[in-house]
Amino acid sequence: MIRDTRISGYQLSLLMMSFIFGSSAIVAPAATAGQDAWLAFILGWLGGLLLMWLYVTIYLDNPSRTLIEILRICFGKYLGSVLALLYIAYFLHLASFVFRDYGEYLTLTTYTLTPIAFTIGCFALLVAYCLKKGLEVTGRAAEILIPYLFIVAIIVFLTLIPEYELKNLTPILENGFAPVADSSLRVLTFPFGETVIFLMIFPALYSARKVERIAFLSVSIMGFTLLSITVREVLSLGPDLLIRLVFPPSISTELTPKIQFDPLIAVNLLLGGWIKITVCLYAAVVGITQLLGLDDYRHFVLPAAILAVGLSLWTFNNIFELMHISQKLYYYYVIPFQVIIPVFILVITKLKKVFKAK
Amino acid sequence: MHKNKKTCFLALVVGILFMITGCWDNRDVTKLNFITALGLDKTPEGSIELTVELPRPSLMGKGQVGGGGQESKEKPITIVSAQGETVLAAARNLLEKLEKPVILSKHELLLVSEELAKSGLMEVLDFFERKPESNMTSQVLIVKGSPIKKIMETESEQEKIPSIHIANCITTNQNRLGSSKESRIIDLLREISNSGQDPLIPTIEISQEKEELKVKDMLISGTAAFRGDRLAGYLTATQTRGWLLAENKAKGSVFTVANPLVKDQKVSFETYRTIGKKEVELIDGQPRLIVQLKVSGSIGESQGGLDLTQPDQLALLQAEIEKTIKEEVESTISTVQEYQTDIFGFGEIMRRKYRSEWQKMKDDWPELFSKASYQIEVETRINRSGYIRQGTKSE
Amino acid sequence: MVLKVIILVTIVLFTLLIDLPGLLKIKGKKKRKALIIYFLLLLGGFSLGLLLIINWNPAGPLGLIPRIFQ
């Protein structure tokens, strides 16, 4: 059944773009660098392209195999399975992160009295339904919906122009390079490094040769969009305020006189977050299915969604814990998944090839 | 089996239908009070008094302006106030007196009393920053001298809602006269958190004590200079214009100077474009403030004739205007130096230009700023003189 | 509290109602595997829900994973 999943190149690029867009558009991961956020973001973006190259190379060395299969080939049956299990846990955990980000934003801005469990639950229902119908459905829906994401980003960017103050970008590197490096590492792991998940999705593409082009194009386009959003926040809010905000867009969108763009940001989050969670859950359930040698991943979508929702509600007691973990600790936690293991995979596959040639 | 699935699906759909009949947070507009203006005062006991202006939609349609029917004696607005330890507590206490819950997000004006401004604005601004439903683009105004309630209870003859009248006045005064300055909550927050720039907030005061106060009896000009979030002192309307000129925010204004040729006669110079530039230079470790202005405009009125086609007369007038503008800006700078508030943001320029020096000077900046020498350069261009080249001479 | 438990149980029952027919159709050895993993996942979600309801959260084990690196 996994082999039957087929999406087109355009759909894959849309999935990738909205996956990267996901919740990072509201959390503004580069914000901690203050006025140098743009610089931190660009560095993270370049790092993200490098990581993308790593993932694509791994995939091209092991064509039409998912991450789980690649892990088993490289590390043997037992170690490979353990690593695969860890990856599956990570994907579920990631889904729960996005669920919580989404829920917190909506609770903070729009649905102040609605219990967060209800907002997240409704969202999970949608995601589970889409996924139960197959990834193709999500892909096709993305074709209709995701273009709005860019339109909204452009509209908000343009309407805020009167608020921009160029002096907010200077002085460059006021506190040295350390905060910028720290921020760029954050950008690298969230959202760019998370694209490691697409190693689970690449096999679903019609023509494997296109992967390289699609991946780099998506990361570039989305990097540019997110850069414009980062610059928008820095220019319109100023570094001092930006560092203190939980969700920068919640205030920057209020600045346009007479128009409230807040709902548009929520829509953007909904579109991006929807794809992101769908991809995470898909990767997790496909991973489970392959690990056990089963055929159909769709059976596990609903319980996995329930598990992710439960995790998202249960892992963090309050928003401070969420912020603390996602800002201070998240990258230590994900670097093994995003960088270290993939590098090992690459080295092992290359070595194997060399030995085989001999 | 297939049938079973369909039944389940149907049950699910019906179940969801019941759950999503409406928004959880649904609040009907008819069951809400919208607030158009907020006033914040500090009582002698130290708690915060919140005064709100609530328009009464049922009376908005009829009444004084236009119509021509019988005049409604009832005011289209109500003023309610309540006290509390914090703004939120006061807002909750307000509910005791109102029949419907209030919604904050539409307020256009925030009035803050002198006492509160003296003891620090962040005491109350935190609420507006934190609350998702507050309006960050609402204008802030300092009430000088009189109690807030008195200002809020005034009526306007031109607008149904007096706060809208006041808010419009500030904008007009800034753009056409240069006597006031718009300051939104968001600007304020940016400036307070910035160590190199202090905020400047417009003021309002009662100019004529009367039994029934109207908005026209109030003086909506001049500004209050802050050090951080604390009130440091007031600037007059002309001093405010000096700031606007330097800050490149003066869109248009009128400068009236003495006619250099005829005694006791005046000439009004109408500006429509000014370019202001600020600069700081460090000379022997001492900052030197530089303001460069390029003012261009036309002669709007001249008493006692003036022939501007003659270069020497033009030069004389130009020098006179330059002198006036220079004096104005000088007066602004010397006043804020006295108050030790850097409303021009010279510190901010220092921060960008002399990065390492600024790190050392940061903490003593108000002191250093107040002692800094300054230099003002004004360049005036008189482009036009209206329809006539020279005024009618009575002979 | 009771209401919350009822909601949780209803959600789980609905999930079973939707998924079980498909799961039971699987043939052979795979059926047992699939059922075991399915119930494990569901049990995970269900127990998390229960923990949430009784408000038991000692900093959450999965929140703990990143916390180890602190």
Side-chain angles (χ1 to χ4, degrees):
Chain A
M1 207 65 179
I2 295 153
R3 299 268 170 262
D4 296 344
T5 310
R6 282 285 174 263
I7 53 172
S8 73
Y10 178 54
Q11 285 169 348
L12 177 70
S13 74
L14 283 176
L15 287 185
M16 279 189 93
M17 285 193 274
S18 42
F19 178 86
I20 296 167
F21 188 83
S23 45
S24 42
I26 56 153
V27 179
T32 44
Q35 65 266 40
D36 300 322
W38 59 276
L39 188 62
F41 186 85
I42 290 175
L43 288 178
W45 180 17
L46 292 177
L49 282 170
L50 206 67
L51 281 185
M52 204 64 235
W53 170 81
L54 176 66
Y55 305 149
V56 168
T57 318
I58 289 173
Y59 178 68
L60 291 179
D61 282 345
N62 304 279
S64 61
R65 288 207 175 92
T66 67
L67 182 60
I68 304 296
E69 290 164 315
I70 296 171
L71 279 171
R72 278 182 152 180
I73 290 170
C74 287
F75 294 100
K77 201 181 171 193
Y78 295 102
L79 186 61
S81 299
V82 170
L83 286 177
L85 211 60
L86 283 176
Y87 263 104
I88 291 163
Y90 167 57
F91 294 154
L92 274 175
H93 200 193
L94 186 59
S96 79
F97 257 104
V98 185
F99 265 133
R100 187 60 181 252
D101 271 340
Y102 162 87
E104 288 292 347
Y105 184 80
L106 282 190
T107 309
L108 189 68
T109 55
T110 326
Y111 303 101
T112 42
L113 296 174
T114 313
I116 190 166
F118 185 78
T119 353
I120 293 180
C122 284
F123 197 41
L125 205 63
L126 171 79
V127 170
Y129 177 71
C130 276
L131 207 49
K132 213 163 161 52
K133 292 285 165 199
L135 192 68
E136 299 92 335
V137 174
T138 311
R140 280 196 293 269
E143 272 184 60
I144 305 169
L145 293 170
I146 297 307
Y148 288 102
L149 204 132
F150 295 98
I151 295 172
V152 170
I154 291 167
I155 288 176
V156 177
F157 186 84
L158 290 181
T159 48
L160 275 170
I161 283 179
E163 288 296 324
Y164 293 159
E165 285 204 39
L166 275 176
K167 66 172 191 191
N168 281 342
L169 288 178
T170 51
I172 297 165
L173 295 179
E174 193 187 16
N175 302 317
F177 196 70
V180 178
D182 184 65
S183 252
S184 60
L185 194 60
R186 195 162 297 149
V187 176
L188 181 66
T189 53
F190 170 75
F192 292 111
E194 287 168 356
T195 44
V196 67
I197 213 166
F198 276 88
L199 280 175
M200 300 293 295
I201 298 194
F202 286 150
L205 190 68
Y206 269 120
S207 44
R209 276 177 297 121
K210 273 193 195 160
V211 164
E212 204 167 0
R213 227 180 63 208
I214 291 166
F216 286 114
L217 204 65
S218 316
V219 174
S220 309
I221 291 174
M222 226 352 139
F224 188 73
T225 315
L226 285 177
L227 180 67
S228 82
I229 288 172
T230 312
V231 170
R232 177 188 90 198
E233 308 297 0
V234 178
L235 285 178
S236 61
L237 294 170
D240 303 301
L241 194 58
L242 184 65
I243 291 174
R244 285 186 293 123
L245 291 172
V246 182
F247 297 125
S250 63
I251 285 194
S252 64
T253 48
E254 256 183 48
L255 297 180
T256 22
K258 310 291 174 210
I259 315 168
Q260 282 269 332
F261 276 123
D262 220 42
L264 283 185
I265 297 292
V267 166
N268 252 5
L269 172 63
L270 200 111
L271 292 175
W274 158 59
I275 298 280
K276 193 163 182 175
I277 296 170
T278 310
V279 167
C280 289
L281 280 182
Y282 172 82
V285 291
V286 166
I288 291 169
T289 328
Q290 288 196 326
L291 203 58
L292 295 174
L294 299 174
D295 297 322
D296 196 350
Y297 67 87
R298 285 167 217 197
H299 298 307
F300 306 114
V301 170
L302 270 177
I306 291 173
L307 191 65
V309 171
L311 269 181
S312 76
L313 293 168
W314 186 66
T315 317
F316 317 104
N317 282 318
N318 46 39
I319 195 165
F320 309 109
E321 280 183 14
L322 174 67
M323 284 189 300
H324 179 71
I325 289 173
S326 57
Q327 289 192 346
K328 301 255 160 60
L329 307 170
Y330 185 68
Y331 51 81
Y332 295 116
Y333 162 52
V334 296
I335 276 179
F337 294 115
Q338 296 178 355
V339 186
I340 297 173
I341 298 175
V343 165
F344 269 108
I345 295 175
L346 186 70
V347 171
I348 289 171
T349 21
K350 290 285 176 204
L351 280 180
K352 269 187 181 170
K353 264 193 183 165
V354 170
F355 281 117
K356 238 181 209 168
K358 274 180 185 171
Chain B
M1 201 58 99
H2 205 69
K3 220 174 179 181
N4 192 8
K5 209 170 175 181
K6 265 189 179 166
T7 329
C8 286
F9 185 70
L10 206 67
L12 194 69
V13 167
V14 173
I16 290 168
L17 265 182
F18 277 110
M19 282 196 278
I20 55 169
T21 46
C23 307
W24 199 296
D25 283 6
N26 180 31
R27 286 183 286 182
D28 203 72
V29 265
T30 54
K31 295 199 178 88
L32 284 172
N33 271 320
F34 285 92
I35 290 176
T36 43
L38 285 162
L40 291 165
D41 203 346
K42 206 166 190 185
T43 58
E45 300 88 61
S47 58
I48 284 162
E49 187 178 47
L50 173 73
T51 313
V52 295
E53 179 191 78
L54 304 164
R56 296 163 70 185
S58 55
L59 293 172
M60 291 303 279
K62 17 175 155 141
Q64 298 101 327
V65 190
Q70 70 265 57
E71 285 207 347
S72 164
K73 279 277 173 283
E74 278 183 287
K75 276 190 189 178
I77 52 153
T78 359
I79 303 294
V80 192
S81 66
Q83 291 181 3
E85 296 289 313
T86 59
V87 182
L88 184 61
R92 282 292 139 84
N93 291 339
L94 198 70
L95 292 182
E96 287 176 359
K97 303 172 186 177
L98 298 171
E99 95 182 285
K100 296 182 263 187
V102 289
I103 191 155
L104 270 176
S105 55
K106 300 289 172 217
H107 66 96
E108 291 292 325
L109 199 62
L110 174 65
L111 296 151
V112 181
S113 76
E114 212 173 352
E115 285 75 41
L116 200 58
K118 273 178 188 154
S119 67
L121 277 180
M122 273 330 281
E123 231 173 89
V124 293
L125 278 185
D126 184 86
F127 170 78
F128 295 93
E129 195 180 11
R130 206 176 286 276
K131 253 319 209 200
E133 54 178 44
S134 78
N135 183 3
M136 293 297 261
T137 52
S138 149
Q139 301 217 19
V140 186
L141 203 57
I142 301 289
V143 176
K144 205 167 149 187
S146 42
I148 284 221
K149 248 185 157 171
K150 207 165 169 185
I151 301 273
M152 290 187 77
E153 270 165 2
T154 54
E155 280 176 54
S156 163
E157 284 162 337
Q158 291 147 28
E159 283 278 351
K160 298 251 158 151
I161 301 170
S163 62
I164 291 176
H165 186 170
I166 295 173
N168 287 345
C169 264
I170 301 171
T171 315
T172 322
N173 287 357
Q174 171 178 330
N175 294 341
R176 310 299 297 255
L177 283 164
S179 66
S180 193
K181 184 230 164 192
E182 280 181 331
S183 180
R184 300 171 305 169
I185 293 180
I186 180 85
D187 302 328
L188 210 55
L189 287 169
R190 277 186 210 145
E191 282 159 6
I192 288 174
S193 60
N194 191 336
S195 57
Q197 174 145 29
D198 287 314
L200 192 68
I201 306 172
T203 56
I204 184 169
E205 62 183 314
I206 294 168
S207 56
Q208 271 178 302
E209 282 293 349
K210 267 191 192 168
E211 195 67 10
E212 240 184 72
L213 273 172
K214 305 268 175 180
V215 174
K216 63 180 180 186
D217 299 322
M218 286 188 284
L219 196 64
I220 310 172
S221 69
T223 41
F226 279 66
R227 192 186 310 121
D229 65 336
R230 277 159 211 271
L231 179 68
Y234 292 107
L235 297 184
T236 62
T238 29
Q239 283 167 343
T240 306
R241 184 163 63 180
W243 181 85
L244 284 172
L245 285 171
E247 202 69 6
N248 211 0
K249 276 186 179 145
K251 285 192 182 130
S253 189
V254 173
F255 294 87
T256 304
V257 299
N259 189 331
L261 298 177
V262 192
K263 219 183 158 195
D264 292 334
Q265 300 284 330
K266 302 279 183 192
V267 177
S268 276
F269 176 61
E270 195 185 349
T271 64
Y272 44 74
R273 194 171 300 133
T274 44
I275 298 164
K277 245 174 106 180
K278 298 169 294 176
E279 199 51 65
V280 187
E281 266 172 24
L282 271 186
I283 300 167
D284 303 330
Q286 292 300 313
R288 184 173 170 76
L289 320 174
I290 301 164
V291 175
Q292 287 166 322
L293 296 176
K294 276 186 191 144
V295 186
S296 48
S298 64
I299 300 299
E301 192 181 342
S302 142
Q303 298 169 335
L306 198 63
D307 189 3
L308 293 175
T309 46
Q310 305 196 1
D312 54 327
Q313 288 197 17
L314 188 71
L316 267 175
L317 184 66
Q318 234 163 21
E320 190 68 34
I321 293 167
E322 269 163 27
K323 206 182 95 198
T324 317
I325 294 176
K326 200 172 166 181
E327 272 166 12
E328 240 180 69
V329 180
E330 258 174 16
S331 132
T332 315
I333 294 185
S334 59
T335 317
V336 295
Q337 279 192 331
E338 231 169 82
Y339 297 150
Q340 297 197 348
T341 68
D342 185 7
I343 53 170
F344 288 95
F346 284 118
E348 191 60 31
I349 299 167
M350 283 281 298
R351 187 179 142 210
R352 288 166 217 286
K353 204 171 161 190
Y354 302 102
R355 207 180 288 177
S356 50
E357 286 91 340
W358 170 248
Q359 290 301 332
K360 283 174 235 149
M361 291 166 114
K362 210 157 106 184
D363 299 324
D364 311 318
W365 180 245
E367 183 84 7
L368 284 164
F369 169 73
S370 69
K371 285 188 186 131
S373 57
Y374 53 83
Q375 175 188 336
I376 298 152
E377 292 157 22
V378 186
E379 198 188 309
T380 329
R381 279 182 59 189
I382 303 176
N383 289 339
R384 264 157 228 110
S385 65
Y387 280 2
I388 49 173
R389 269 181 289 182
Q390 69 188 94
T392 315
K393 280 194 182 121
S394 56
E395 278 169 36
Chain C
M1 185 121 157
V2 178
L3 185 71
K4 279 180 186 168
V5 175
I6 291 172
I7 291 173
L8 188 65
V9 171
T10 321
I11 291 171
V12 170
L13 285 182
F14 255 117
T15 319
L16 286 175
L17 212 63
I18 293 167
D19 281 340
L20 267 188
L23 274 170
L24 291 175
K25 253 193 255 170
I26 303 175
K27 296 261 154 56
K29 247 173 78 182
K30 283 178 180 171
K31 183 172 173 177
R32 216 176 63 192
K33 262 189 188 171
L35 276 173
I36 288 172
I37 196 73
Y38 181 87
F39 279 107
L40 266 178
L41 278 174
L42 198 58
L43 194 71
F46 180 71
S47 49
L48 276 181
L50 272 185
L51 289 177
L52 255 174
I53 289 168
I54 61 166
N55 219 346
W56 184 83
N57 184 357
L62 278 151
L64 213 74
I65 295 171
R67 241 171 276 204
I68 295 165
F69 300 93
Q70 206 162 0

